Amino acid sequence: MSRRAVTLAVASALVLVLAVVGAVMPVPYVALMPGPTTNTLGDNGKGVPLVQIDGRQTYPDNGHLNFVTVTYRGGPEARIDLFTALRGWLSSDTAIVPEETIFPKHESQQQVDAENTRQMQDSQQNAEAAALHELGIAVPTRVVVNSVQQGRPAAAQLAANDEITAVNGVKTSTVAQVKAEMNKAGVGGRVDLDVLRADKPVKAALTTVAGQDGKPVVGMVLSEDYKFPFKINISVGDIGGPSAGLMFSLSIVDKLTPQSLTGGKFIAGTGTITPEGQVGPIGGIEQKMIAARRAGATIFLTPKDNCAEALSARPKGLRLVRADTLHGAIQSLNAINSGRGDVPACSK
């Protein structure tokens, strides 16, 4: 064999080796694919209603109000290889995105998963509040201690999950009210807190110190929680994220009212929800629409800020209905069921 032939053979072998190594080399990308879609009017697969309401009359609906999900492959602890990424780029139902899109730098996969779980829990609570607000059912709020800061006055007398019911004799039901009373006390002033701990009344007397902004603080991180007048339980397993909020709210409204929101139709959708019923944008709209259509959905409720992207990738046979608010989404479904055409649609 000539020297030239040997050189070509060796070079070809090296190219082949490099190609094989490159194909299996981990890359910092994540593959997003259509995930499971679940009917919020159905059960969780174990015979238990996915949205279960106790203490209030409920009504059946034989249609679908499905929330949709996105599954992923990859991540800092299980990166996909180059071959998988290339195959995803060529696939019509897979999106290949930079790893930091899903896993921000300096956050572990466990931290991201924990945050997604927290977002799902917040989404469920917001959905319940939004649904009851839409139905005109009063939902009082309460102020809860999330955590206390070590080295601050609160650390010695307060604990997580304590409910602050009054400050210096003034009843409080919002974080703003607590802060207002603290500001009245001033830095170095005394604040007497009425607290509920595991439903038992507790007193706490604290002296404020100056916070970073110079305002009086005692070192407690607060949040607002809701006192729901009856029990609503949403069971979705290990699914995380906030994007099912709209569909949870619609399911609760549907179950609590005699009129069917679906009219027997297969409706799917997505969108975050605030306690006031505002619908917000989500990620992975293309994969979620594909999942919905494959499951049989013909109508897809779409947050207005996702409309442009949704229009460019809408699967055939799927009608996009723009959802700005929970109230608007309900009006749209009622209009569709009555055969009216005045329904907000996605437009570029």
Side-chain angles (χ1 to χ4, degrees):
M1 183 179 293
S2 67
R3 174 178 289 182
R4 182 178 181 184
V6 171
T7 300
L8 287 173
V10 171
S12 297
L14 287 174
V15 170
L16 179 61
V17 169
L18 289 173
V20 171
V21 171
V24 298
M25 182 183 299
V27 292
Y29 288 89
V30 174
L32 303 181
M33 299 161 289
T37 172
T38 305
N39 186 13
T40 60
L41 299 175
D43 62 48
N44 63 359
K46 299 179 181 178
V48 178
L50 190 132
V51 176
Q52 188 170 11
I53 301 174
D54 296 321
R56 195 88 170 190
Q57 182 176 357
T58 58
Y59 303 87
D61 188 331
N62 62 359
H64 283 70
L65 286 172
N66 280 47
F67 75 87
V68 285
T69 63
V70 173
T71 60
Y72 69 87
R73 290 183 61 189
E77 299 178 8
R79 282 180 169 167
I80 59 175
D81 55 47
L82 181 60
F83 178 75
T84 300
L86 291 172
R87 187 170 57 186
W89 271 311
L90 297 174
S91 172
S92 60
D93 64 359
T94 302
I96 303 298
V97 300
E99 190 174 80
E100 58 266 24
T101 304
I102 310 298
F103 301 95
K105 291 183 178 179
H106 311 302
E107 287 189 24
S108 68
Q109 191 158 331
Q110 288 80 8
Q111 288 174 313
V112 172
D113 290 342
E115 174 62 15
N116 284 337
T117 298
R118 186 195 65 77
Q119 289 180 344
M120 171 58 82
Q121 293 169 346
D122 289 347
S123 175
Q124 292 174 4
Q125 181 170 263
N126 288 348
E128 294 170 22
L132 299 194
H133 176 77
E134 174 67 23
L135 294 173
I137 300 172
V139 182
T141 58
R142 62 180 189 145
V143 181
V144 178
V145 177
N146 279 347
S147 61
V148 293
Q149 299 168 335
Q150 295 303 313
R152 297 283 196 174
Q157 298 188 52
L158 297 178
N161 299 318
D162 282 353
E163 178 184 349
I164 309 298
T165 60
V167 179
N168 288 340
V170 178
K171 291 184 178 181
T172 54
S173 60
T174 68
V175 173
Q177 290 173 336
V178 172
K179 289 183 177 180
E181 294 306 316
M182 298 268 292
N183 287 337
K184 290 179 183 179
V187 175
R190 171 170 166 156
V191 289
D192 293 317
L193 304 180
D194 290 345
V195 177
L196 277 180
R197 179 176 299 160
D199 294 328
K200 295 181 179 180
V202 176
K203 297 283 188 179
L206 305 173
T207 301
T208 66
V209 296
Q212 291 182 344
D213 57 1
K215 294 183 178 180
V217 299
V218 294
M220 56 184 179
V221 179
L222 304 175
S223 66
E224 289 176 15
D225 201 358
Y226 300 95
K227 292 183 176 179
F228 294 109
F230 48 88
K231 187 175 181 180
I232 303 174
N233 185 58
I234 301 175
S235 176
V236 295
D238 60 357
I239 296 173
S243 63
L246 170 62
M247 303 313 292
F248 290 150
S249 287
L250 288 171
S251 177
I252 294 168
V253 171
D254 198 6
K255 285 174 175 284
L256 291 174
T257 51
Q259 182 180 356
S260 166
L261 282 182
T262 70
K265 299 178 181 64
F266 196 133
I267 298 162
T270 188
T272 63
I273 197 78
T274 69
E276 297 74 32
Q278 294 292 321
V279 177
I282 50 80
I285 187 72
E286 181 176 353
Q287 286 68 42
K288 290 177 178 179
M289 289 190 302
I290 292 172
R293 188 68 187 109
R294 285 178 179 174
T298 56
I299 297 170
F300 192 84
L301 298 170
T302 311
K304 62 179 180 180
D305 290 340
N306 289 117
C307 271
E309 184 182 0
L311 278 171
S312 66
R314 178 178 64 88
K316 185 178 180 180
L318 192 65
R319 178 183 181 181
L320 301 183
V321 175
R322 195 184 78 231
D324 302 348
T325 65
L326 172 61
H327 184 72
I330 292 171
Q331 287 185 317
S332 293
L333 294 181
N334 288 335
I336 291 171
N337 289 336
S338 63
R340 302 200 313 270
D342 54 338
V343 176
C346 279
S347 60
K348 292 184 179 179

